[in-house]
Amino acid sequence: TELPTLSDRELVDAIEAARRQATWAQSLMLEGVAELARRRYGHEPYDSDTHRRICGEVSIELTVPTGQAEELVVMADTLPTMLPNTWAALRTGLLDYDRARVMVDGLGTLDPALARQLDADLIGEAIDATKTQLRHRLARAIKQADPAAHAERTRRAKTERRVEVWDNDDDTCDLVGRNLAAADAHAIRNRLTAAAQAMKADGDLRTIDQIRADLHHDLLRGIPLPDAVQHLITDTSGPVNWRLATPATGPTAPVTGPTLPTARTTDRMRLNYDTRGARAGSGTDAAQEVSIVAERVIAEALAEVADQQLTAVFDRARAEGQMDRLARLIGDAAQAMRDALTGTVDTWCRATSQNARHGHPRYRPPAALQRLIQHRHTTCVYPTCNRRSIHCDIDHTQPYDNGGHTCKCNLAPLCRAHHRIIKQHPDWKLIQLWPGLLVWVTPTGIWHIVTPR
């Protein structure tokens, strides 16, 4: 039906029908996640590492962060067993995913019998309440039904207090204090607000939010509150160049960041541009920069070939009814490609090495080689991980004690979790076809190709 031809009532009904259909699809996704978890648990005893591997697999297949994948796994495990009324409302489209998540967050850690009772008592309110309203009603109901459980949840949450940094897409970050005591958090914000309002009354042209953020910045740098207020009034050389308070006496230059090159380099014009000199702060000279760019160009081309080859293996397995062997077939095919490239990789690594040798003779890579690996991949090479490479292990893709070189063709940054829990598990495979070109093969037989970023 063409939406413009509908009456207002019919249009609203169509919107609601679409929402219910989307909610049903989300419940189907959770059923799939639950079935995947059941199959993985069937192969090995349950432990925290098994749970994290399942979350890693969901993360990589749905292209979502690991935290969101863990949420899906918990939702899929909790809803059908502990919260049957919420689960039924989700499957029929009466309750959307976000409110179902609030129910799981609120009730999932309680005693199962109490959780099921509150699930039955509150489902009507859940359907008619917004997410925020539902969260408050859940907290009150839990506190009334089991004050000890509510107190324990609060205590446990406080033990998980932390500070997090979230990167935004506009060269800014969010600095967040999580799980602080509610009274303390409100008191801190109220104090910042009072100081900001006083400065605003004195003629500061910034908004209250901007003043609060600047005070927060200076206080965390160790400047006492009275001095921080004075500093904001008189200083314009801070981290932002839009302050409009009383100007300082000296000239102020705007703060600008470096211009980063794009990740993909696949044509001669871009190659010529990138090889004019070393990037600032990369720790490489001009000759090394040429080899880095050339390696990236070759990696991009090989990635397309590898994807075509693995797709052909998949199509053949499906046609021949060998899908139950897909993970092994894909893994063997990726390894065969790596074996076929061994001679070429050896020649390349020797030709681009300062001492014409393939790799470093010891297990631990020297500092220069570590910087090269971190420059090539700025984050962990697990496809959905954003942990910075400088905080990752420099991993030998083929283990050193199994003949793997300490070389750029066999090293990649892996965060500790993806290194030890996923990469080293026998059902997972990681193969480096070319320096910086890696192929992950999941237990399902799905492959994910990572190129230099």
Side-chain angles (χ1 to χ4, degrees):
T1 303
E2 292 293 333
L3 295 181
T5 65
L6 301 180
S7 66
D8 287 358
R9 176 56 188 269
E10 291 170 332
L11 179 60
V12 170
D13 288 343
I15 294 171
E16 172 61 15
R19 185 194 65 81
R20 295 182 65 170
Q21 187 175 25
T23 299
W24 170 82
Q26 288 174 316
S27 72
L28 186 62
M29 176 185 65
L30 291 177
E31 288 187 79
V33 170
E35 175 63 18
L36 179 67
R38 186 191 64 79
R39 295 183 184 186
R40 295 294 177 261
Y41 288 140
H43 290 118
E44 51 189 301
Y46 173 80
D47 58 25
S48 60
D49 286 354
T50 305
H51 173 77
R52 295 173 76 177
R53 273 191 295 274
I54 293 170
C55 294
E57 189 169 358
V58 172
S59 168
I60 198 174
E61 302 306 356
L62 297 184
T63 318
V64 297
T66 301
Q68 186 175 345
E70 184 168 8
E71 174 190 297
L72 293 172
V73 172
V74 170
M75 292 273 288
D77 180 61
T78 304
L79 281 169
T81 57
M82 288 185 65
L83 308 178
N85 293 282
T86 300
W87 178 235
L90 180 69
R91 296 188 68 190
T92 56
L94 295 175
L95 193 71
D96 60 27
Y97 177 91
D98 286 342
R99 285 177 289 168
R101 184 181 60 190
V102 171
M103 294 289 282
V104 171
D105 290 344
L107 304 177
T109 58
L110 298 179
D111 174 78
L114 176 60
R116 282 190 285 270
Q117 180 61 50
L118 292 177
D119 173 53
D121 293 343
L122 294 171
I123 188 61
E125 294 186 48
I127 292 173
D128 295 329
T130 67
K131 184 170 63 173
T132 301
Q133 291 170 339
L134 177 59
R135 187 178 293 113
H136 292 319
R137 293 175 187 179
L138 266 176
R140 288 196 299 270
I142 295 170
K143 190 172 183 178
Q144 292 173 359
D146 193 342
H150 182 270
E152 173 60 21
R153 285 160 60 93
T154 301
R155 185 201 65 78
R156 188 167 58 247
K158 289 180 180 179
T159 65
E160 297 175 355
R161 61 190 181 276
R162 61 199 181 275
V163 174
E164 296 179 353
V165 175
W166 298 87
D167 292 327
N168 299 323
D169 56 5
D170 53 5
D171 292 330
T172 65
C173 290
D174 296 330
L175 181 64
V176 182
R178 301 295 301 274
N179 291 64
L180 305 178
D184 292 341
H186 285 291
I188 291 170
R189 190 176 190 277
N190 290 342
R191 192 176 186 191
L192 290 174
T193 300
Q197 288 174 338
M199 293 175 64
K200 187 71 174 176
D202 284 341
D204 197 303
L205 298 181
R206 287 165 296 173
T207 65
I208 293 293
D209 283 337
Q210 291 169 346
I211 301 173
R212 266 196 302 248
D214 293 344
L215 282 171
H216 177 262
H217 171 269
D218 284 351
L219 290 171
L220 288 179
R221 292 176 60 200
I223 304 174
L225 183 57
D227 296 337
V229 172
Q230 184 64 24
H231 177 257
L232 290 185
I233 294 174
T234 60
D235 179 53
T236 59
S237 60
V240 287
N241 59 14
W242 38 256
R243 286 176 175 159
L244 299 173
T246 305
T249 56
T252 310
V255 179
T256 60
T259 301
L260 300 180
T262 57
R264 289 185 174 272
T265 308
T266 56
D267 61 276
R268 185 176 299 276
M269 180 182 298
R270 185 61 181 160
L271 177 62
N272 291 337
Y273 175 81
D274 274 343
T275 54
R276 291 173 186 169
R279 292 184 181 89
S282 66
T284 61
D285 58 25
Q288 287 177 314
E289 188 68 19
V290 171
S291 69
I292 289 172
V293 175
E295 282 174 3
R296 187 164 72 246
V297 173
I298 296 170
E300 293 284 355
L302 286 175
E304 295 183 10
V305 175
D307 187 59
Q308 293 170 0
Q309 294 288 333
L310 296 177
T311 300
V313 173
F314 170 78
D315 291 340
R316 186 164 58 253
R318 184 167 55 182
E320 297 175 357
Q322 299 190 62
M323 293 297 287
D324 57 335
R325 299 179 59 235
L326 183 61
R328 180 175 179 180
L329 294 172
I330 295 296
D332 289 348
Q335 185 60 54
M337 283 187 275
R338 177 64 181 89
D339 294 342
L341 288 168
T342 297
T344 304
V345 171
D346 180 77
T347 301
W348 175 266
C349 291
R350 292 179 186 276
T352 55
S353 171
Q354 293 181 348
N355 51 22
R357 182 175 59 197
H358 190 171
H360 182 67
R362 298 181 180 177
Y363 173 80
R364 183 176 177 82
L369 182 55
Q370 291 187 42
R371 289 195 298 270
L372 186 149
I373 300 304
Q374 292 163 350
H375 174 65
R376 186 173 69 192
H377 291 287
T378 58
T379 62
C380 169
V381 295
Y382 193 76
T384 57
C385 185
N386 293 315
R387 187 165 182 81
R388 294 180 182 273
S389 58
I390 58 174
H391 302 306
C392 292
D393 298 335
I394 302 298
D395 171 61
H396 288 72
T397 307
Q398 180 181 347
Y400 180 79
D401 56 7
N402 194 30
H405 292 285
T406 302
C407 179
K408 61 183 178 180
C409 68
N410 192 49
L411 296 174
L414 272 175
C415 73
R416 188 62 54 87
H418 291 130
H419 179 191
R420 296 188 176 181
I421 297 175
I422 290 186
K423 188 255 184 178
Q424 294 184 354
H425 192 270
D427 287 348
W428 288 76
K429 289 183 175 61
L430 178 62
I431 300 166
Q432 191 159 181
L433 302 180
W434 177 261
L437 173 61
L438 300 105
V439 179
W440 287 91
V441 182
T442 75
T444 310
I446 300 175
W447 63 94
H448 297 265
I449 298 176
V450 178
T451 58
R453 302 175 183 176

